[in-house]
């Protein structure tokens, strides 16, 4: 995983702040692999927030992460039920990702 401890903590703090409750966050994509370079930060957030509030929480989390980590491309996908979510990006995160 190519994310420093400081960055991991910043991501976890931002998600915890934006998604109150029992949110989980999974890092996937190029930052998951040690042998790759560059790349954005791809995150899957699993939260049971109501559908109508997830987008605002996602934006709040991204802003907090960018304030803590600097200007980086951060992509966040949110799902309430990853087992039932058929989006390929969710499946990829679950197969090739690590929970922070």
């Amino acid at each position: 995983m190519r994310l420093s401890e400081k960055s991991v903590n910043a991501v976890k703090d931002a998600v915890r702040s934006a998604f109150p409750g029992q949110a989980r966050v999974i890092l996937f994509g190029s930052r998951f692999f040690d042998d790759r370079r560059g790349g954005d930060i791809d995150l899957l957030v699993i939260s049971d927030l109501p559908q109508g509030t997830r987008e605002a929480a996602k934006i709040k989390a991204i802003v907090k992460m960018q304030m803590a980590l600097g200007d980086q491309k951060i992509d966040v996908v949110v799902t309430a039920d990853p087992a039932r979510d058929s989006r390929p990006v969710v499946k990829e995160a679950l197969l090739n990702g690590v929970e922070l």
Side-chain angles (χ1 to χ4, degrees), residues 27-41:
L27 173 73
F28 68 101
S30 61
R31 293 289 184 120
F32 173 73
F33 298 99
D34 292 331
D35 60 340
R36 295 190 186 169
R37 307 187 97 194
D40 52 357
I41 299 173

Side-chain angles (χ1 to χ4, degrees), residues 64-96:
K64 285 186 174 282
M65 284 184 257
Q66 288 182 330
M67 289 176 64
L69 303 174
D71 189 23
Q72 298 193 41
K73 184 153 177 15
I74 301 171
D75 294 323
V76 176
V77 176
V78 182
T79 186
D81 187 354
R84 291 185 178 186
D85 195 321
S86 62
R87 291 179 290 174
V89 67
V90 173
K91 302 298 180 202
E92 172 64 23
L94 294 174
L95 286 174
N96 295 306

Side-chain angles (χ1 to χ4, degrees), residues 13-24 45-50 53 57 60:
D13 288 346
V15 169
R16 197 175 303 127
S17 171
F19 293 88
Q22 299 278 335
R24 297 170 44 208
V45 174
I46 302 169
S47 169
D48 59 358
L49 274 183
T53 60
K60 182 178 176 183

